[in-house]
Structures are given as structure tokens and as C-alpha cells.
Amino acid sequence: MNAKVAVITGASRGLGRSMALHLAAQGVNIVGTFHSKETEAMSVVREVEERGARAIMLQLDTGDSRGFEAFASALSSGLQQTFDRSDFDYLVNNAGIGINAAFTETTEEQFDQLIKIHLKGPYFLTQKLLPLMTDGGRILNISSGLARFTLPGYSAYAVAKGGVEVLTRYLAKELGARGITVNTIAPGVIETDFGGGAVRDNPEVNKMLASTIALGRVGLPDDIGRAVAAMLSDGGGWINGERIEVSGGQNI
Ligand code: NAP
């Protein structure tokens, strides 16, 4: 039987990279996407190969749905050429950016950018890729703890993530007939480049946020990568339409 194939958006860095590496370690082949950082993306291909799986990386802007048709076509070719497959098994809608702006200062441009990348993108990308997804496949939408608890400066971002969580439930209902499960993973605060890397690089911010987490530290990319790999293992097959927060117990 062919190895499973996971499509992960935003796999060049941060959480998406860690998901790719943890899935590769359990024998899943990877189609990752990058937006602008091709060199980083190609490093992830090598790291996947070191773990005994195979990977390709495709360019994608999840904020521009006009490119999704061409992406689906590139994906179809890549699946055939690299994995001898006409379909794939898992989709992780992960790509994203952070913008910190108070509600009173948030511009329409910032709002539109966040909605396009985090909500409209996953909505129409999933729609476009469904014909390439195998029946019995799985979709994970990456949300954020900020859709449950509130931190000033993230209203537009959190509104977009809240929309993704509603989308998860609707997709789970509508795609059940094909045996496709759909769930939300909502990470708490994690040390990545996200939002300029402040959580990782600013000790005061890091310490303040760690104090909000029951396990006493902020998250690391591997905390999310291994959770995603667990969800996409055999044991996750009956979990459907759920929102699972992976935060070490933040703001509980
Ligand atoms: P990151 O380290 O900044 O990585 C972002 C990834 O998304 C990169 O692969 C980047 O590609 C890609 N990307 C950015 N803009 C894109 C666009 N317009 N189209 C396509 N790809 C794009 O961020 P991260 O921390 O891994 O975040 C991943 C996801 O987790 C996001 O959805 C974020 O909202 C969510 N999240 C993060 C945290 C956290 O604390 N880090 C917490 C909760 C939720 P390039 O490398 O090519 O730029």
C-alpha cells in the first residue's frame, strides 16, 4: 500500500515545519507549501528525507484565492510525479501571519489581509483541493487559543480564527458522507517567528505568557507538531468536528 500523503500549508517554518517532521517520522510523505521562503522550504525537504519519508514544496499564497486553481494543478502533477498518486490523504490548513493592532487602530487593509489568509484562504483552498483528497481523508484547521480567550490587539486575527472553527464544524457535517474527518487544532502561545518572534525573543513577554500556562512554560513548535502527528495517526480516526486546544493549559 502507498504511504499516506499530507498537504501542509506554511510548512517552511514554525509549526508547519514541525508537523512535517513529526509526520515524516511516522512514515507520512509531505507536500508542503511556502509563501516567500523557498530556501527554508528546501531545508525542510532534506529534514523530511532524513526521517525516511519524501517531500515536495510548492509555492502558495493563501491570501490570494485566484492562485488556487493553479496550485491544485501543481499539486496534482507533484502527487503523480513524486508519489505515484492521484490523490492525497491529509490537509492541514496551517499557514498564517500575526498582526498586533488595537481594535481602534486596526485598518481595513489589516482586517482584509487577516481574513483572506486565515479564513477565506482555508475555505476556498479546501473546496478546490477536495476532488484530490481521498475518501476517508482528514482535515485539520489551525486556529488559536485567542479564539477562546482574549488578548488586546488580536481582535481581527481572532475573528478570523473563530470563523475557521465554525467552518470546521460545517465541513465535518458536509464531508462525513465521504468519510472525511475535520477538526480544529488551536495552539496556545508558541515560540516561532510568528508576530515578529516576540514570544521567543523577548524574555519579559515569554515570562509573562508562561505564567498564564498551567504547565509553566510557553509552547515549542514540537508541542504542536507531535499533537498534529497524533491526530493524524490511526488513533485519531473517530475524532470529528472537534476543537482541540494544544496549549499546556493556557488561561484555564
Ligand atoms: P511562522 O513561524 O511565522 O510561519 C508561518 C508560515 O506560514 C510560513 O511557512 C510562511 O511561509 C507561511 N505563510 C505566511 N503568510 C502566508 C501566505 N500569505 N500564504 C501562504 N503561506 C504563508 O508562524 P507559526 O507560528 O508557525 O504559525 C502557524 C499557524 O499557527 C498560523 O495559522 C498561526 O496563526 C497559528 N498559531 C500560531 C501560534 C503561535 O504562537 N506561534 C499560536 C496559535 C496559532 P514563508 O516561510 O514562505 O514566509
Side-chain angles (χ1 to χ4, degrees), residues 73-211:
S73 176
L75 172 60
S76 184
S77 306
L79 288 168
Q80 201 64 59
Q81 284 163 16
T82 310
F83 307 114
D84 196 22
R85 294 272 307 260
S86 57
D87 55 10
F88 69 96
D89 304 282
Y90 310 136
L91 172 63
V92 187
N93 283 308
N94 163 73
I97 59 164
I99 297 176
N100 182 312
F103 172 75
T104 49
E105 307 297 327
T106 298
T107 65
E108 276 195 48
E109 286 73 22
Q110 289 172 325
F111 184 90
D112 287 345
Q113 190 184 13
L114 286 164
I115 294 290
K116 278 184 188 163
I117 291 175
H118 289 280
L119 183 56
K120 184 178 178 183
Y123 190 106
F124 287 103
L125 185 67
T126 303
Q127 187 187 70
K128 193 65 81 182
L129 299 189
L130 270 176
L132 293 174
M133 179 175 255
T134 186
D135 287 354
R138 303 202 201 160
I139 298 172
L140 291 181
N141 292 323
I142 304 305
S143 176
S144 167
L146 291 167
R148 175 179 62 83
F149 51 80
T150 46
L151 191 64
Y154 290 99
S155 59
Y157 172 81
V159 163
K161 291 300 198 187
V164 158
E165 296 188 3
V166 174
L167 176 62
T168 289
R169 292 200 305 276
Y170 273 80
L171 290 183
K173 194 86 165 178
E174 294 198 22
L175 303 184
R178 287 185 53 191
I180 294 172
T181 66
V182 191
N183 291 288
T184 294
I185 294 282
V189 65
I190 315 288
E191 289 186 11
T192 67
D193 295 337
F194 186 79
V199 176
R200 182 192 53 216
D201 302 334
N202 183 326
E204 279 176 27
V205 171
N206 189 298
K207 194 171 165 205
M208 183 276 288
L209 289 167
S211 73

Side-chain angles (χ1 to χ4, degrees), residues 61-79:
D61 180 356
T62 62
D64 185 1
S65 55
R66 293 169 304 178
F68 293 176
E69 180 77 44
F71 177 77
S73 176
L75 172 60
S76 184
S77 306
L79 288 168

